[in-house]
Amino acid sequence: MVTELQLRLLPEETANEQALKLVAAREMGETAENIRAVRVLKRSIDARQRIIYVNVKLRVFINELPEESEYQSVEYKDVTDRKNVIVVGAGPGGLFAALRLIELGLRPIIVERGKDVRERKKDIALISREHKVNNESNYSFGEGGAGAYSDGKLYTRSKKRGSVDKILNVFCQFGASPSILADAHPHIGTDKLPRVIENIREQIKKCGGEVHFETRMDAFVMKGDEVVGIETNTGKTFFGPVILATGHSARDVYYYLHEKAIPIEAKGIAVGVRLEHPQELIDQIQYHRKEGRGKYLPAAEYSFVTQVNGRGVYSFCMCPGGFVVPAASGPKQVVVNGMSPSNRGSRWANSGMVVEIHPEDFPEFASYKELALIKFQEQLEEYCWQNGGMKQVAPAQRMADFIQKRNSFDLPVSSYTPGLLASPLHFWMPEFVTSRLREGLRYFGKVSNGFLTNEATMIGVETRTSSPVRIVRDRETYQHVTIKGLFPCGEGAGYAGGIVSAAIDGERCAEGVAMLIASH
Ligand code: FAD
C-alpha cells in the first residue's frame, strides 16, 4: 500500500530516512519493518515560535517498494541532421534553451566565451590567490554562467509552478539531489552544481549538438533586418537564428547592440554591499534560542525588505554557511557576491544588502542614455577597486560603524579570501545608496533583535544584482522587436533574475525559435 501523510514534526524526527520510517510506523500504527520506504514530497521549517517544527508531506510505502523514479525524466533524441540554432552563452538560460531545442527537434550550437566548468575553477582560484582576473573566465563567464560557482539556490518568485517543476526535475535528471523537489527553499551548492552542468553539456553533445568554449560572439551576421548568424573571436562564423543568453556582465554585448542601433532600454537595478555575519548569530536570531541550530536544523536564512524614501532596500541572494566571493569580470573592478557549499557549513552568513536605483536617480549619467546605469556600475566598481588598494582586496566597514558614519579601525575575520581593507564606505559610496541603506539596516535591526551589530561586516560593492538594460523583445514570439532571428534571453536581456527563471526563459526562447522555423 502507498499512502501520504502531512505531519508537523520535531527536527530530530526528520534527521534521516530511518527516523522518518519510525515516525510513519507510529502514525500508521504499523510495525517499523512494514514501512519499506518513505519519500519526502514537501519540507519546510516553521521557526516562528520557540518550539521549532518541520512540516513534511511524506509518501509512505507499506509492504512494497517504490516503482517509479523520484523525478520525471525528459527523453532527448538525436538531432544531428536537424536545423542549427545558435545559442550564445552557456549559463542556465543558454543550457536550458539548448536542451529544449533538442526536445523540439532542433540542433543547438552553443558558443561560450569562457572555459569549461572545471578549467574555469583554476582561473577562479587565481583571483583569490594572485588577484588576477581573467576577462573571459571568472565568476561571471564560463560554462554554467554566473551561477555555476554559487549557492545554487533554486527558488524563484515565478508563479509558473509547472515551468519551475520541469526545471527542477531536469536538474535531478542530470545529478542534483531529488531533495530539491521537496524543499521549500531548494539549493544545490557550489560543490555539486559543476557536475550537473557537465552532465547537461555531455547530453547536448550526445544528441548531436555542439559546444564551443573560449569562443566569444563579437558580431552578428545580418541580412537586412535579420540576424542570420554570428562572427566569433576565433574567426569561425556560425549560421542560424540566435538565442542571445549572455548574462548581465557582458557589457561588451550591450555596447555592441548600442553601437549597431539595435533597440535596448535602460532599466533599474539594485546596488549596495555584501553583509557578512557569524552564522552562529543568525542561527540564534532566526531560531530564537541561544544554542542556535543544534544538530538537526540547517544553517538559518533571513530575508528583509523595506522602503526608504521611495526606494526598496532589501537583502538579496542570502547565502547561509557560505563565502563572500570576488565576482569581478574585468580590470579595475572589485565586485562581490556570495556562494555556499551544499552543506552550508561555513562559519559565516552573507547576503547582498541593496538599494533599488532607477536611471533617473543619477542625472550625471543621463548623457549615456540606455547605458547610463552601466556607466554608473563601472564607476562604482572602479572606486571600489581603488579603495581596496587596486587589487582584489575589498574595502569593508563594520556594520554599526557604517550606520554611525565612523571609521572601522579593524574588521572581523571574513570568508572573503582575497582579503579586506577597512574603508569608510559611508564616505565614498553614493549618498543616494548609503543614506537609504543606513535607514534600511536600522529598521532590520529593530525587527530582528541582534541583527544590527558591529560583529557584522559590510563589504563593497554589490552591483551585479540584475541587468541594467533590457534587450526588448516581442511578448509572444520572444523575438527582438525590430531584428528578426534574434531572441534576447535570460538575465542579461532583462527577462530573468536567477538560475531557475533564466532556465525557464531559455526554454521559452527555444520555443520562440521553433515557432519561427515552423512558420518558414
Ligand atoms: P549567465 O549565467 O550570466 O550566463 C551568461 C553566459 O554567457 C556566461 O557563461 C558568459 O560567459 C557567456 N557570454 C557572455 N558574453 C558572451 C559572448 N559575447 N559570447 C559567448 N558567450 C558569452 N542565482 C540563483 O538563482 N541562485 C543563486 O544561488 C545564485 N547565486 C549566485 C552567485 C554568484 C557568485 C553569482 C555571480 C550569481 C548568482 N546567481 C544566483 C545569479 C544567477 O547566476 C544568474 O541569475 C543566472 O546565472 C543568469 O543566467 P543567464 O543564463 O541568463 O546568464
Side-chain angles (χ1 to χ4, degrees):
M1 185 174 83
V2 182
T3 189
E4 286 180 7
L5 297 173
Q6 181 72 52
L7 300 168
R8 193 166 162 77
L9 302 174
L10 294 170
E12 53 271 31
E13 293 178 298
T14 66
N16 50 39
E17 196 185 353
Q18 192 50 34
L20 286 169
K21 279 182 177 173
L22 291 176
V23 169
R26 182 185 75 205
E27 294 293 319
M28 304 285 304
E30 286 282 347
T31 60
E33 302 80 70
N34 289 349
I35 309 293
R36 304 288 296 279
V38 284
R39 269 191 191 161
V40 182
L41 302 181
K42 290 274 164 243
R43 175 173 31 221
S44 63
I45 294 169
D46 184 351
R48 288 171 299 177
Q49 312 293 333
R50 293 225 158 254
I51 300 179
I52 296 162
Y53 290 103
V54 184
N55 294 321
V56 285
K57 185 173 179 188
L58 292 182
R59 183 168 293 152
V60 185
F61 297 83
I62 305 155
N63 291 322
E64 64 179 275
L65 282 168
E67 276 173 15
E68 81 283 13
S69 155
E70 282 177 80
Y71 52 84
Q72 286 172 357
S73 297
V74 178
E75 197 191 338
Y76 296 102
K77 296 212 171 103
D78 191 274
V79 289
T80 312
D81 301 324
R82 301 304 185 91
K83 286 217 162 79
N84 291 343
V85 178
I86 297 158
V87 178
V88 187
L95 290 173
F96 276 79
L99 288 175
R100 184 77 183 123
L101 287 169
I102 294 172
E103 271 188 83
L104 295 165
L106 295 166
R107 180 169 179 266
I109 299 181
I110 299 184
V111 168
E112 165 55 56
R113 72 196 297 162
K115 299 181 184 171
D116 73 62
V117 73
R118 297 281 156 192
E119 281 302 306
R120 182 180 172 191
K121 202 169 179 182
K122 296 178 191 160
D123 294 317
I124 282 173
L126 285 181
I127 304 176
S128 290
R129 239 188 3 247
E130 296 180 17
H131 299 258
K132 276 192 191 146
V133 179
N134 178 333
N135 296 350
E136 306 293 336
S137 176
N138 46 57
Y139 273 98
S140 297
F141 297 160
E143 188 184 22
Y149 291 99
S150 76
D151 186 32
K153 275 180 282 298
L154 299 177
Y155 30 104
T156 160
R157 275 171 290 177
S158 169
K159 300 271 179 296
K160 296 193 170 147
R161 202 55 242 174
S163 310
V164 174
D165 288 345
K166 157 95 186 281
I167 302 299
L168 296 183
N169 275 273
V170 172
F171 270 123
C172 292
Q173 181 172 352
F174 290 107
S177 159
S179 67
I180 63 172
L181 301 175
D183 288 337
H185 285 174
H187 86 114
I188 297 185
T190 184
D191 45 330
K192 305 248 167 93
L193 198 48
R195 182 79 212 139
V196 174
I197 291 162
E198 282 175 329
N199 291 342
I200 293 179
R201 177 229 304 158
E202 288 310 310
Q203 178 72 63
I204 292 167
K205 285 168 63 178
K206 208 168 119 197
C207 292
E210 292 177 21
V211 184
H212 301 266
F213 294 117
E214 297 182 69
T215 306
R216 189 184 62 230
M217 182 210 82
D218 280 345
F220 295 136
V221 181
M222 303 284 298
K223 210 169 158 190
D225 63 354
E226 185 176 358
V227 170
V228 294
I230 59 164
E231 289 170 11
T232 67
N233 63 333
T234 65
K236 270 195 187 156
T237 304
F238 297 91
F239 290 97
V242 174
I243 296 180
L244 188 70
T246 43
H248 61 32
S249 290
R251 292 174 180 156
D252 49 356
V253 173
Y254 298 133
Y255 283 119
Y256 171 74
L257 297 173
H258 190 249
E259 189 192 301
K260 292 282 158 199
I262 295 177
I264 55 177
E265 274 173 6
K267 64 179 267 303
I269 54 171
V271 298
V273 296
R274 272 272 140 183
L275 178 62
E276 186 172 67
H277 281 82
Q279 179 65 50
E280 200 183 350
L281 177 63
I282 298 299
D283 290 342
Q284 287 169 344
I285 296 172
Q286 296 301 88
Y287 292 133
H288 321 289
R289 52 189 204 182
K290 235 186 153 28
E291 68 268 33
R293 68 177 186 261
K295 212 168 146 193
Y296 301 104
L297 286 166
E301 302 170 33
Y302 61 78
S303 166
F304 293 115
V305 60
T306 188
Q307 286 280 320
V308 180
N309 295 336
R311 291 288 179 269
V313 179
Y314 56 93
S315 59
F316 173 80
C317 182
M318 199 255 150
C319 297
F323 301 89
V324 179
V325 299
S329 54
K332 297 190 181 179
Q333 300 173 354
V334 165
V335 183
V336 286
N337 212 306
M339 70 174 189
S340 308
S342 53
N343 69 3
R344 289 182 165 169
S346 94
R347 288 189 284 139
W348 296 275
N350 71 70
S351 78
M353 275 291 166
V354 293
V355 177
E356 174 196 357
I357 60 169
H358 297 177
E360 62 272 21
D361 296 334
F362 298 93
E364 62 272 34
F365 291 93
S367 61
Y368 295 108
K369 298 196 166 90
E370 294 86 354
L371 304 178
L373 286 187
I374 297 188
K375 292 288 180 187
F376 169 84
Q377 284 176 314
E378 285 176 346
Q379 191 189 77
L380 188 54
E381 291 167 5
E382 186 166 345
Y383 278 166
C384 193
W385 173 77
Q386 284 165 351
N387 281 288
M390 298 192 234
K391 293 195 281 183
Q392 284 304 304
V393 170
Q397 188 170 15
R398 287 178 182 262
M399 187 182 187
D401 289 345
F402 172 83
I403 300 224
Q404 303 296 330
K405 299 191 188 174
R406 275 187 321 234
N407 287 354
S408 296
F409 292 104
D410 61 1
L411 295 168
V413 177
S414 169
S415 68
Y416 183 77
T417 50
L420 301 181
L421 184 67
S423 172
L425 304 185
H426 67 271
F427 177 71
W428 60 263
M429 283 182 68
E431 166 73 11
F432 189 94
V433 174
T434 54
S435 57
R436 287 171 175 79
L437 209 46
R438 200 174 300 122
E439 285 315 304
L441 293 173
R442 277 204 180 106
Y443 172 74
F444 302 152
K446 266 191 205 140
V447 294
S448 182
N449 195 13
F451 187 77
L452 201 176
T453 164
N454 234 12
E455 293 317 304
T457 316
M458 301 181 54
I459 305 173
V461 285
E462 176 106 15
T463 45
R464 312 268 180 102
T465 50
S466 66
S467 171
V469 162
R470 177 167 292 112
I471 311 175
V472 273
R473 72 185 187 196
D474 180 81
R475 280 164 179 268
E476 277 163 24
T477 62
Y478 307 114
Q479 210 167 186
H480 189 271
V481 282
T482 59
I483 304 295
K484 289 189 208 120
L486 175 63
F487 294 79
C489 176
E491 188 162 39
Y495 297 99
I499 296 171
V500 172
S501 59
I504 292 175
D505 202 55
E507 290 213 326
R508 260 187 226 135
C509 289
E511 285 156 18
V513 176
M515 279 191 295
L516 174 76
I517 290 177
S519 71
H520 277 170

